[in-house]
Amino acid sequence: MALLVVLLVLLCAESGISQEKDNDNETNALIGEFCGRNGVTSLLNFNKNRNITLNDLRMQLSSKRVLAARAQVVGPGDSVYAVTQCRNYLTVDQCVACFDAGVSKVFNCSAANAYISFDNCFLRYEGFIEFYNDPYFMMDGSGTQFLKCGNQSASQPTPFNQVVRDLLSNIRDATPKTSNFYVASTRQIISENTKVYATAQCVENITQATCQTCMNSVYDKLNSCPPSNQGRFSDVACFARYSDTPFFNDNQTTNIITTRGHSGKPVAIVVAAIGGGVLCLLILVLWLLYRRRLRNKSKKNEQGYINLRLMPMADGAVHYDYKNLKLATNNFSQENILGRGGFGEVFKAILDDKKVVAVKKLQVQHDGATEEFEKEVKLISNIRHRNLLRLLGWSSEGSHLLLVLEYMPNGSLDRFLWGPQRGTLNWNQRYEIIFGIARGLAHLHDEYHIKIVHRDIKSSNILLGDDFRPKIADFGLARFQPEGQSHVSTAFAGTLGYTAPEYALHGFLSDKVDTYSFGIVVLEIICGRRSTEVRPSTSDICCLLEDAWEMYENTKHVNVIDETLKLTEYEREHAMNIIVIALLCTQSPASDRPTMSEVVSMLQEGRSMAERQLTRPTILKNANRRIHIEVMQNQKRKMQLN
Ligand code: ADP
Ligand code: MG
């Protein structure tokens, strides 16, 4: 027996991993501790420096209310550099408690370096600074990777193993791409009506490549745990954990969908969401998912377990029963209609739990789709941002497909710019709406871990909450595009009057297509006029952009501001600056337009970023139902934008 134990220890040491079975269901289990081999020159000095450093860490956590900190004391005697970091789903108090548990452990260690990892946090100190940015720097021997598998087995190993593997693979790919190297996600196991919870976190300030390397270990090592009901893995560069018992709240999940290119390497993609046209594709995808669901049901009978495809499409979106939605919308009654778009009606619905939602009813018209679209549907429901409308779920019945969406009590922005509610938004509200749209788009383009181009930004796709906070709606299906390349689309998917010329005419798609439409919406907001006004004599779409440009060229753009707005002197200046930003957004070629992240900065600073040359916009016209371009001399004019 003793020999066996020795052999096991040697085996673990050989692979550089300490592996143990979990003994209990502690809320903050110790995953591993490592008292290093680097000696100290003066224990007295070292202890003093270590105490100061650890106190400093604690102070930072509790007074700055943060979940990660660094501190150091550089000599005399042994220097101590320390880092601690908690998992993002914790409160600061839980974080401090975990840190304290770590401190009480490391006090038993009198080496110049130590590392200790719990479920909730890690603590590490060394006698040198380099590990701050490269956690693998000078690792003194094995034992700094810890794997801990649970000692109970899942009741349905086959679906459980598949769900865990799928979740871990998503986490491996997604974590290095997030801005804070952190992911928390869940997956439903339908056959058991239970969920698997998983989280991963890389150490702060490391490179994306180092995080990815560590996540590859997570995937390789943690995958050996199932069918154990839980597993933890900790390395000096990252941490991951899965469990069938919740250890964070359902509302604390993050986005984890990633896409792989043909080479098998993860690639960022541009997902171009079509407004009207895309809905057809969305219908198609969900319809196919529905049919696949039926097929998988029969597979279940053959194979004795439920195929993963039966899982909800994504973390957030759930499948609703058609009958319930019919009931919730009062049999899709006329009184419940919130609005009509090109592809169907939108109803107000009150669900069983009294939650109010919007249900968009679409007519299925197409057949045939690819696997890739499924990912895009997942993607829609995984995106969470205060300025982006959430897809809560879906349902289908015959040729009908229903999307369950967040309900927005004030409806769409267009209603407040013209029509009966014209003039009800004051300048501050309009500015907040402009800023919110910019932030939502910047998130889609630059902050989410894949790039998404909306393609149909218009004021009827900006919905307003009861506090008038804007949310962008109708980003839907998409086309894939390798990172950094312009996409040539054959389908025109935007709305005339809002669509960038290069996209309408040639199908050239980039995030700057959204920048252009954003500029048009901003002009609508400030001028209180639609971009799709038609000149009666020619039936051309005109004149908002032309008018704004003409006025601006003559430094009279104050004249295009909505006359229902009663502005102070300061507000008038502010509105004029924002007209200039809108014109900056509508320039051609697309490379002359700012990115949406740059627009956010400009809006925050209240002025443009630098001296820019404004170009006369290229105006599209819709004569005889054909798009043609009005050739214009690009008259450049040097402007100081402020
Ligand atoms: P479009 O975007 O072309 O207006 P839609 O079918 O997307 O067409 O929406 C039709 C109308 O329904 C919108 O203009 C809006 O007024 C209303 N609407 C859509 N979604 C919601 C929602 N989630 N909450 C409240 N109203 C909505
Ligand atoms: Mg819409």
Side-chain angles (χ1 to χ4, degrees):
M1 183 64 192
L3 187 65
L4 194 66
V5 171
V6 170
L7 271 175
L8 275 175
V9 168
L10 282 177
L11 269 175
C12 288
E14 185 127 345
S15 63
I17 299 174
S18 143
Q19 178 168 6
E20 18 177 321
K21 284 277 174 187
D22 195 14
N23 289 327
D24 52 43
N25 270 330
E26 296 163 68
T27 50
N28 184 30
L30 175 67
I31 305 172
E33 56 185 313
F34 177 66
C35 179
R37 299 182 190 143
N38 298 337
V40 298
T41 43
S42 151
L43 196 56
L44 202 68
N45 260 336
F46 167 75
N47 279 338
K48 193 169 130 236
N49 291 348
R50 186 174 64 175
N51 283 351
I52 297 171
T53 313
L54 296 178
N55 276 339
D56 191 342
L57 286 179
R58 193 175 197 283
M59 273 286 294
Q60 289 186 47
L61 295 179
S62 48
S63 61
K64 291 191 195 158
R65 312 301 291 168
V66 288
L67 294 175
R70 283 177 183 182
Q72 63 213 42
V73 171
V74 185
D78 297 280
S79 301
V80 178
Y81 299 86
V83 178
T84 189
Q85 190 176 354
C86 293
R87 317 306 169 202
N88 298 24
Y89 49 83
L90 298 174
T91 63
V92 169
D93 292 342
Q94 289 167 321
C95 178
V96 172
C98 181
F99 171 80
D100 288 346
V103 169
S104 64
K105 290 258 178 207
V106 296
F107 270 133
N108 301 326
C109 175
S110 48
N113 60 324
Y115 171 73
I116 180 151
S117 180
F118 291 91
D119 281 342
N120 289 352
C121 69
F122 82 86
L123 169 63
R124 179 179 179 187
Y125 63 81
E126 299 278 359
F128 51 85
I129 196 168
E130 283 79 359
F131 84 102
Y132 274 176
N133 297 326
D134 178 8
Y136 292 118
F137 190 87
M138 272 181 62
M139 280 178 15
D140 66 344
S142 61
T144 44
Q145 277 194 339
F146 304 106
L147 178 69
K148 197 167 181 179
C149 301
N151 57 7
Q152 280 171 21
S153 186
S155 56
Q156 294 268 352
T158 311
F160 183 84
N161 290 1
Q162 284 191 36
V163 168
V164 171
R165 192 169 304 123
D166 183 48
L167 197 49
L168 291 177
S169 127
N170 281 332
I171 277 178
R172 173 195 58 197
D173 296 341
T175 308
K177 297 193 185 103
T178 60
S179 57
N180 55 356
F181 288 158
Y182 167 78
V183 153
S185 187
T186 62
R187 280 279 185 286
Q188 186 90 33
I189 305 172
I190 299 285
S191 57
E192 292 183 281
N193 204 20
T194 56
K195 270 189 190 170
V196 179
Y197 292 73
T199 189
Q201 182 183 46
C202 285
V203 172
E204 275 193 333
N205 297 307
I206 64 176
T207 63
Q208 192 181 38
T210 309
C211 180
Q212 186 66 67
T213 305
C214 198
M215 281 298 130
N216 293 343
S217 302
V218 162
Y219 183 71
D220 292 341
K221 307 289 166 18
L222 261 187
N223 252 333
S224 67
C225 282
S228 285
N229 64 337
Q230 52 182 312
R232 286 117 166 162
F233 173 82
S234 176
D235 176 318
V236 284
C238 71
F239 157 86
R241 175 183 178 190
Y242 79 83
S243 174
D244 60 358
T245 315
F247 56 92
F248 52 83
N249 296 331
D250 280 343
N251 62 5
Q252 291 179 305
T253 54
T254 51
N255 307 311
I256 67 162
I257 300 301
T258 57
T259 303
R260 303 194 137 244
H262 296 299
S263 64
K265 292 204 174 92
V267 290
I269 56 168
V270 170
V271 181
I274 313 170
V278 88
L279 290 176
C280 289
L281 295 176
L282 183 57
I283 295 159
L284 172 63
V285 172
L286 295 176
W287 170 241
L288 284 177
L289 287 174
Y290 177 65
R291 288 206 325 211
R292 181 180 292 157
R293 185 184 164 104
L294 291 181
R295 273 206 305 278
N296 288 336
K297 265 188 185 152
S298 56
K299 268 189 202 158
K300 179 194 169 189
N301 296 338
E302 286 159 29
Q303 297 170 5
Y305 64 89
I306 292 184
N307 190 300
L308 276 181
R309 304 261 180 237
L310 272 178
M311 292 189 308
M313 291 185 297
D315 286 356
V318 289
H319 180 262
Y320 284 87
D321 200 354
Y322 179 80
K323 278 195 228 105
N324 290 344
L325 292 183
K326 200 170 162 187
L327 216 62
T329 54
N330 203 7
N331 204 10
F332 300 110
S333 73
Q334 293 295 308
E335 294 86 74
N336 283 43
I337 291 185
L338 291 170
R340 279 192 184 86
F343 291 84
E345 290 152 331
V346 183
F347 298 86
K348 184 174 180 176
I350 302 171
L351 301 176
D352 284 348
D353 58 3
K354 303 281 174 264
K355 188 175 173 175
V356 183
V357 295
V359 174
K360 193 166 195 166
K361 197 174 183 189
L362 310 161
Q363 191 74 31
V364 177
Q365 294 171 343
H366 293 255
D367 201 6
T370 68
E371 279 265 314
E372 280 177 305
F373 285 118
E374 186 180 335
K375 289 177 189 160
E376 299 183 38
V377 175
K378 283 184 180 180
L379 178 118
I380 304 165
S381 51
N382 269 299
I383 296 174
R384 287 179 200 185
H385 186 275
R386 67 204 302 265
N387 300 115
L388 298 173
L389 191 80
R390 282 207 60 204
L391 170 67
L392 303 170
W394 62 284
S395 180
S396 55
E397 167 82 10
S399 64
H400 285 124
L401 191 122
L402 307 173
L403 300 179
V404 181
L405 302 158
E406 230 180 310
Y407 169 67
M408 299 294 280
N410 277 318
S412 46
L413 172 63
D414 51 341
R415 298 179 183 184
F416 291 86
L417 299 178
W418 41 83
Q421 298 184 76
R422 175 163 190 224
T424 48
L425 293 174
N426 64 29
W427 171 246
N428 195 37
Q429 287 167 320
R430 292 188 202 212
Y431 172 72
E432 287 300 329
I433 290 168
I434 291 170
F435 191 53
I437 304 168
R439 287 213 308 199
L441 281 174
H443 184 74
L444 284 179
H445 294 172
D446 297 330
E447 292 163 13
Y448 195 54
H449 57 271
I450 52 177
K451 191 183 266 290
I452 298 168
V453 181
H454 186 293
R455 280 211 266 193
D456 197 18
I457 291 296
K458 55 181 178 179
S459 46
S460 67
N461 273 338
I462 308 301
L463 300 177
L464 301 173
D466 46 14
D467 53 356
F468 290 99
R469 182 201 294 175
K471 294 202 183 208
I472 301 170
D474 281 354
F475 45 94
L477 294 189
R479 290 156 195 270
F480 291 91
Q481 169 186 17
E483 193 172 24
Q485 287 182 24
S486 282
H487 183 72
V488 178
S489 162
T490 49
F492 171 68
T495 302
L496 275 176
Y498 292 93
T499 307
E502 75 281 3
Y503 180 50
L505 291 171
H506 310 294
F508 291 136
L509 181 64
S510 71
D511 52 355
K512 300 293 182 69
V513 162
D514 287 346
T515 302
Y516 181 95
S517 310
F518 168 80
I520 299 289
V521 171
V522 171
L523 289 179
E524 289 185 329
I525 295 173
I526 298 179
C527 306
R529 286 168 55 188
R530 338 169 159 254
S531 65
T532 51
E533 288 167 2
V534 173
R535 200 193 307 267
S537 54
T538 60
S539 68
D540 283 344
I541 282 186
C542 71
C543 316
L544 178 62
L545 182 56
E546 291 106 309
D547 287 357
W549 174 259
E550 304 290 343
M551 290 292 174
Y552 166 74
E553 261 194 321
N554 298 308
T555 335
K556 289 187 179 155
H557 46 302
V558 68
N559 293 342
V560 292
I561 298 175
D562 187 348
E563 63 205 19
T564 68
L565 270 175
K566 301 285 167 263
L567 301 180
T568 63
E569 188 59 33
Y570 171 81
E571 288 173 336
R572 195 170 301 117
E573 281 290 311
H574 193 200
M576 282 165 71
N577 286 344
I578 293 176
I579 291 175
V580 179
I581 293 174
L583 289 172
L584 196 57
C585 291
T586 52
Q587 290 175 106
S588 292
S591 55
D592 281 358
R593 296 172 208 147
T595 64
M596 286 312 301
S597 299
E598 286 171 340
V599 172
V600 170
S601 309
M602 289 183 205
L603 291 171
Q604 273 169 335
E605 289 159 23
R607 46 184 289 140
S608 72
M609 292 197 307
E611 198 180 67
R612 297 281 278 263
Q613 281 194 323
L614 271 194
T615 319
R616 184 184 185 91
T618 302
I619 312 288
L620 284 183
K621 297 206 168 179
N622 185 28
N624 304 325
R625 302 214 146 272
R626 269 178 44 236
I627 304 166
H628 69 263
I629 196 162
E630 183 182 8
V631 183
M632 285 189 160
Q633 290 292 327
N634 274 351
Q635 302 168 346
K636 293 222 166 183
R637 183 175 159 206
K638 202 163 192 193
M639 300 302 307
Q640 174 74 45
L641 304 173
N642 62 14

